[in-house]
Amino acid sequence: MTFKELIIQRQSVRRYDARPVEAEIISLCLEAARLSPSASNSQPWRFIVVDQDPLRTEVAKATFTDIQLINKFTVQAPVMVVIVIEKARWFTRLAMQVKKKEWPLIDIGIAAEHFCLQAAELGLGTCMIGWFDEKKLQKLLHIPAGKQVGLVITLGYPQEGYPLRKKIRKPVEEVVTFNRY
């Protein structure tokens, strides 16, 4: 598969097979994330893999409420990966204050997409979740005080027949300019 084909293949999957994901497959996805670049090579992340019930179901339930049900599909995913933001290197933290940029957020986004692209290449589906009850996740996963949960990723085999959706994106002319805004 070419890189462009992989980008087209990778999509947010919201219906999963009950089939468990093999440990070797999870490891390959984690290795892809681990190898991703980060500001000053800080690698400001920790990946918590949750693949055992009842904990997995409780983590999934932390991504939706009785009012906000859009993430209710997460209970189907056999694996939940919670990305915790770790402290960046001192130099990066200093630069963040000067430039008023949160590079660890960018870094975990890159790592998450590396994870998701690797999963897609291996025939798995993922969905990045930004809506979650952080306090509940911290309690469930024994995340130390002061640590922030950045993202949650579902991982699993897409339900049989899950459609590859056409990517609807703005035309290149609307998002790209050269040499000025």
Side-chain angles (χ1 to χ4, degrees), residues 84-119:
V84 178
I85 300 172
E86 295 292 325
K87 193 180 277 189
R89 290 186 173 181
W90 72 268
F91 179 79
T92 305
R93 291 193 316 267
L94 177 64
M96 285 167 42
Q97 289 180 345
V98 171
K99 299 304 277 180
K100 296 180 181 14
K101 301 276 185 198
E102 289 293 325
W103 287 311
L105 291 174
I106 297 166
D107 295 340
I108 68 161
I110 297 167
E113 187 59 8
H114 274 55
F115 182 98
C116 293
L117 285 169
Q118 180 64 77

Short mmCIF file of all heavy atoms in Angstrom, two decimals, residues 84-119:
data_model
loop_
_atom_site.label_atom_id
_atom_site.label_comp_id
_atom_site.label_asym_id
_atom_site.label_seq_id
_atom_site.Cartn_x
_atom_site.Cartn_y
_atom_site.Cartn_z
N VAL A 84 -1.37 9.94 28.16
CA VAL A 84 -1.14 10.90 29.24
C VAL A 84 0.01 11.81 28.81
O VAL A 84 1.03 11.34 28.31
CB VAL A 84 -0.79 10.17 30.56
CG1 VAL A 84 -0.49 11.17 31.67
CG2 VAL A 84 -1.92 9.23 30.95
N ILE A 85 -0.19 13.11 29.00
CA ILE A 85 0.85 14.08 28.66
C ILE A 85 1.88 14.10 29.78
O ILE A 85 1.54 14.33 30.94
CB ILE A 85 0.25 15.48 28.44
CG1 ILE A 85 -0.77 15.45 27.31
CG2 ILE A 85 1.35 16.50 28.17
CD1 ILE A 85 -1.56 16.72 27.15
N GLU A 86 3.11 13.86 29.43
CA GLU A 86 4.22 13.90 30.39
C GLU A 86 4.96 15.23 30.25
O GLU A 86 4.80 15.94 29.25
CB GLU A 86 5.16 12.73 30.15
CG GLU A 86 4.54 11.38 30.41
CD GLU A 86 4.25 11.13 31.89
OE1 GLU A 86 5.02 11.60 32.76
OE2 GLU A 86 3.23 10.47 32.18
N LYS A 87 5.75 15.54 31.22
CA LYS A 87 6.49 16.80 31.23
C LYS A 87 7.53 16.80 30.12
O LYS A 87 8.27 15.83 29.93
CB LYS A 87 7.18 16.96 32.58
CG LYS A 87 7.71 18.36 32.83
CD LYS A 87 8.39 18.46 34.17
CE LYS A 87 7.35 18.68 35.25
NZ LYS A 87 7.99 18.99 36.55
N ALA A 88 7.58 17.89 29.39
CA ALA A 88 8.59 18.06 28.34
C ALA A 88 9.94 18.37 28.99
O ALA A 88 10.01 18.70 30.17
CB ALA A 88 8.18 19.19 27.40
N ARG A 89 10.98 18.30 28.22
CA ARG A 89 12.32 18.65 28.72
C ARG A 89 12.34 20.11 29.17
O ARG A 89 11.57 20.93 28.68
CB ARG A 89 13.36 18.44 27.63
CG ARG A 89 13.58 16.99 27.33
CD ARG A 89 14.71 16.81 26.37
NE ARG A 89 15.00 15.39 26.25
CZ ARG A 89 15.94 14.90 25.50
NH1 ARG A 89 16.71 15.69 24.80
NH2 ARG A 89 16.14 13.61 25.44
N TRP A 90 13.25 20.43 30.06
CA TRP A 90 13.30 21.78 30.64
C TRP A 90 13.46 22.84 29.56
O TRP A 90 12.84 23.89 29.63
CB TRP A 90 14.40 21.89 31.71
CG TRP A 90 15.80 21.88 31.14
CD1 TRP A 90 16.61 20.80 30.94
CD2 TRP A 90 16.53 23.01 30.66
NE1 TRP A 90 17.79 21.19 30.36
CE2 TRP A 90 17.77 22.55 30.18
CE3 TRP A 90 16.25 24.37 30.58
CZ2 TRP A 90 18.73 23.40 29.65
CZ3 TRP A 90 17.21 25.21 30.05
CH2 TRP A 90 18.43 24.73 29.59
N PHE A 91 14.29 22.56 28.56
CA PHE A 91 14.50 23.54 27.49
C PHE A 91 13.20 23.78 26.72
O PHE A 91 12.86 24.91 26.38
CB PHE A 91 15.61 23.06 26.54
CG PHE A 91 15.86 24.01 25.41
CD1 PHE A 91 16.60 25.17 25.60
CD2 PHE A 91 15.33 23.77 24.15
CE1 PHE A 91 16.81 26.07 24.56
CE2 PHE A 91 15.53 24.66 23.11
CZ PHE A 91 16.28 25.81 23.32
N THR A 92 12.48 22.72 26.46
CA THR A 92 11.21 22.83 25.75
C THR A 92 10.19 23.60 26.59
O THR A 92 9.45 24.44 26.08
CB THR A 92 10.66 21.43 25.41
OG1 THR A 92 11.66 20.73 24.66
CG2 THR A 92 9.40 21.51 24.58
N ARG A 93 10.16 23.32 27.90
CA ARG A 93 9.23 24.04 28.78
C ARG A 93 9.53 25.52 28.81
O ARG A 93 8.63 26.36 28.78
CB ARG A 93 9.27 23.45 30.20
CG ARG A 93 8.69 22.06 30.27
CD ARG A 93 8.43 21.58 31.68
NE ARG A 93 9.48 21.85 32.64
CZ ARG A 93 10.47 21.02 32.95
NH1 ARG A 93 10.55 19.85 32.33
NH2 ARG A 93 11.35 21.33 33.86
N LEU A 94 10.81 25.87 28.82
CA LEU A 94 11.21 27.28 28.79
C LEU A 94 10.78 27.91 27.47
O LEU A 94 10.18 28.99 27.46
CB LEU A 94 12.73 27.41 28.98
CG LEU A 94 13.30 28.82 28.89
CD1 LEU A 94 12.77 29.68 30.04
CD2 LEU A 94 14.82 28.76 28.94
N ALA A 95 11.04 27.23 26.38
CA ALA A 95 10.65 27.75 25.06
C ALA A 95 9.13 27.88 24.95
O ALA A 95 8.63 28.82 24.33
CB ALA A 95 11.19 26.83 23.96
N MET A 96 8.39 26.97 25.57
CA MET A 96 6.92 27.03 25.54
C MET A 96 6.43 28.31 26.22
O MET A 96 5.49 28.94 25.75
CB MET A 96 6.32 25.80 26.25
CG MET A 96 6.41 24.54 25.43
SD MET A 96 6.05 23.00 26.36
CE MET A 96 4.65 23.43 27.34
N GLN A 97 7.08 28.68 27.31
CA GLN A 97 6.69 29.91 28.01
C GLN A 97 6.99 31.14 27.17
O GLN A 97 6.18 32.05 27.08
CB GLN A 97 7.40 30.00 29.37
CG GLN A 97 6.88 29.00 30.36
CD GLN A 97 7.60 29.09 31.69
OE1 GLN A 97 8.65 29.69 31.81
NE2 GLN A 97 7.00 28.48 32.70
N VAL A 98 8.15 31.14 26.53
CA VAL A 98 8.54 32.28 25.71
C VAL A 98 7.62 32.40 24.49
O VAL A 98 7.14 33.49 24.17
CB VAL A 98 10.02 32.15 25.26
CG1 VAL A 98 10.39 33.21 24.24
CG2 VAL A 98 10.96 32.21 26.47
N LYS A 99 7.37 31.30 23.82
CA LYS A 99 6.59 31.32 22.57
C LYS A 99 5.09 31.13 22.78
O LYS A 99 4.32 31.21 21.84
CB LYS A 99 7.10 30.24 21.60
CG LYS A 99 8.56 30.42 21.19
CD LYS A 99 8.84 31.77 20.60
CE LYS A 99 8.51 31.84 19.16
NZ LYS A 99 8.76 33.14 18.55
N LYS A 100 4.68 30.83 24.01
CA LYS A 100 3.26 30.61 24.33
C LYS A 100 2.64 29.53 23.44
O LYS A 100 1.57 29.70 22.86
CB LYS A 100 2.49 31.92 24.27
CG LYS A 100 2.95 32.93 25.32
CD LYS A 100 2.18 34.21 25.23
CE LYS A 100 2.58 35.26 26.20
NZ LYS A 100 3.77 35.22 26.96
N LYS A 101 3.36 28.41 23.35
CA LYS A 101 2.91 27.25 22.57
C LYS A 101 2.93 26.02 23.47
O LYS A 101 3.79 25.89 24.33
CB LYS A 101 3.86 26.98 21.39
CG LYS A 101 4.02 28.11 20.42
CD LYS A 101 2.93 28.09 19.41
CE LYS A 101 3.20 29.17 18.37
NZ LYS A 101 2.06 29.52 17.62
N GLU A 102 1.96 25.14 23.28
CA GLU A 102 1.89 23.89 24.04
C GLU A 102 2.37 22.74 23.15
O GLU A 102 1.57 21.96 22.63
CB GLU A 102 0.46 23.65 24.53
CG GLU A 102 0.02 24.58 25.62
CD GLU A 102 0.78 24.37 26.92
OE1 GLU A 102 1.14 23.21 27.25
OE2 GLU A 102 1.03 25.37 27.61
N TRP A 103 3.68 22.62 22.99
CA TRP A 103 4.21 21.61 22.09
C TRP A 103 3.87 20.18 22.48
O TRP A 103 3.65 19.34 21.59
CB TRP A 103 5.72 21.79 21.90
CG TRP A 103 6.01 22.98 21.03
CD1 TRP A 103 5.44 23.25 19.82
CD2 TRP A 103 6.90 24.05 21.30
NE1 TRP A 103 5.94 24.44 19.32
CE2 TRP A 103 6.84 24.95 20.21
CE3 TRP A 103 7.74 24.36 22.36
CZ2 TRP A 103 7.59 26.10 20.14
CZ3 TRP A 103 8.50 25.52 22.30
CH2 TRP A 103 8.42 26.38 21.19
N PRO A 104 3.75 19.84 23.77
CA PRO A 104 3.34 18.47 24.08
C PRO A 104 1.99 18.07 23.48
O PRO A 104 1.81 16.92 23.10
CB PRO A 104 3.31 18.44 25.62
CG PRO A 104 4.36 19.44 26.00
CD PRO A 104 4.19 20.55 24.99
N LEU A 105 1.07 19.02 23.37
CA LEU A 105 -0.21 18.71 22.72
C LEU A 105 0.00 18.36 21.25
O LEU A 105 -0.63 17.44 20.72
CB LEU A 105 -1.17 19.89 22.84
CG LEU A 105 -1.71 20.18 24.24
CD1 LEU A 105 -2.54 21.46 24.23
CD2 LEU A 105 -2.53 19.02 24.75
N ILE A 106 0.87 19.11 20.60
CA ILE A 106 1.20 18.82 19.20
C ILE A 106 1.89 17.46 19.11
O ILE A 106 1.55 16.62 18.26
CB ILE A 106 2.09 19.93 18.60
CG1 ILE A 106 1.33 21.26 18.59
CG2 ILE A 106 2.60 19.55 17.21
CD1 ILE A 106 2.20 22.48 18.35
N ASP A 107 2.82 17.22 20.03
CA ASP A 107 3.58 15.97 20.02
C ASP A 107 2.69 14.75 20.19
O ASP A 107 2.86 13.75 19.49
CB ASP A 107 4.64 16.00 21.13
CG ASP A 107 5.71 17.05 20.90
OD1 ASP A 107 5.88 17.51 19.75
OD2 ASP A 107 6.39 17.42 21.89
N ILE A 108 1.72 14.81 21.13
CA ILE A 108 0.86 13.64 21.29
C ILE A 108 -0.06 13.46 20.10
O ILE A 108 -0.43 12.33 19.76
CB ILE A 108 0.07 13.64 22.62
CG1 ILE A 108 -0.98 14.74 22.66
CG2 ILE A 108 1.00 13.65 23.82
CD1 ILE A 108 -2.06 14.50 23.69
N GLY A 109 -0.40 14.57 19.42
CA GLY A 109 -1.19 14.46 18.20
C GLY A 109 -0.43 13.72 17.11
O GLY A 109 -0.99 12.86 16.41
N ILE A 110 0.84 14.03 16.98
CA ILE A 110 1.69 13.34 15.99
C ILE A 110 1.81 11.86 16.36
O ILE A 110 1.65 10.98 15.51
CB ILE A 110 3.07 14.00 15.90
CG1 ILE A 110 2.95 15.44 15.39
CG2 ILE A 110 4.01 13.18 15.00
CD1 ILE A 110 4.22 16.27 15.55
N ALA A 111 2.08 11.59 17.64
CA ALA A 111 2.23 10.20 18.09
C ALA A 111 0.93 9.42 17.88
O ALA A 111 0.94 8.27 17.43
CB ALA A 111 2.64 10.17 19.56
N ALA A 112 -0.19 10.06 18.18
CA ALA A 112 -1.49 9.41 18.01
C ALA A 112 -1.73 9.07 16.54
O ALA A 112 -2.23 7.98 16.22
CB ALA A 112 -2.61 10.29 18.55
N GLU A 113 -1.39 9.97 15.66
CA GLU A 113 -1.62 9.69 14.23
C GLU A 113 -0.68 8.60 13.73
O GLU A 113 -1.08 7.77 12.91
CB GLU A 113 -1.49 10.96 13.38
CG GLU A 113 -1.88 10.75 11.93
CD GLU A 113 -3.33 10.27 11.71
OE1 GLU A 113 -4.14 10.22 12.65
OE2 GLU A 113 -3.64 9.93 10.55
N HIS A 114 0.56 8.56 14.23
CA HIS A 114 1.45 7.45 13.88
C HIS A 114 0.82 6.12 14.32
O HIS A 114 0.83 5.14 13.57
CB HIS A 114 2.81 7.61 14.57
CG HIS A 114 3.79 8.46 13.84
ND1 HIS A 114 3.52 9.75 13.43
CD2 HIS A 114 5.06 8.21 13.45
CE1 HIS A 114 4.58 10.24 12.81
NE2 HIS A 114 5.53 9.33 12.82
N PHE A 115 0.27 6.10 15.53
CA PHE A 115 -0.41 4.91 16.05
C PHE A 115 -1.56 4.51 15.11
O PHE A 115 -1.68 3.35 14.72
CB PHE A 115 -0.95 5.22 17.46
CG PHE A 115 -1.63 4.07 18.13
CD1 PHE A 115 -0.94 3.29 19.04
CD2 PHE A 115 -2.96 3.78 17.88
CE1 PHE A 115 -1.57 2.23 19.68
CE2 PHE A 115 -3.60 2.72 18.52
CZ PHE A 115 -2.90 1.94 19.42
N CYS A 116 -2.38 5.48 14.76
CA CYS A 116 -3.56 5.21 13.93
C CYS A 116 -3.20 4.78 12.51
O CYS A 116 -3.85 3.91 11.94
CB CYS A 116 -4.47 6.43 13.91
SG CYS A 116 -5.23 6.79 15.52
N LEU A 117 -2.16 5.39 11.94
CA LEU A 117 -1.73 4.98 10.61
C LEU A 117 -1.20 3.55 10.61
O LEU A 117 -1.49 2.77 9.70
CB LEU A 117 -0.69 5.95 10.06
CG LEU A 117 -1.22 7.31 9.59
CD1 LEU A 117 -0.07 8.28 9.33
CD2 LEU A 117 -2.10 7.17 8.36
N GLN A 118 -0.42 3.22 11.64
CA GLN A 118 0.08 1.84 11.74
C GLN A 118 -1.08 0.86 11.87
O GLN A 118 -1.10 -0.18 11.23
CB GLN A 118 1.03 1.70 12.93
CG GLN A 118 1.60 0.29 13.08
CD GLN A 118 2.47 -0.12 11.91
OE1 GLN A 118 3.60 0.31 11.81
NE2 GLN A 118 1.93 -0.94 11.02
N ALA A 119 -2.05 1.20 12.69
CA ALA A 119 -3.23 0.34 12.86
C ALA A 119 -3.95 0.15 11.53
O ALA A 119 -4.33 -0.97 11.18
CB ALA A 119 -4.17 0.93 13.91
#
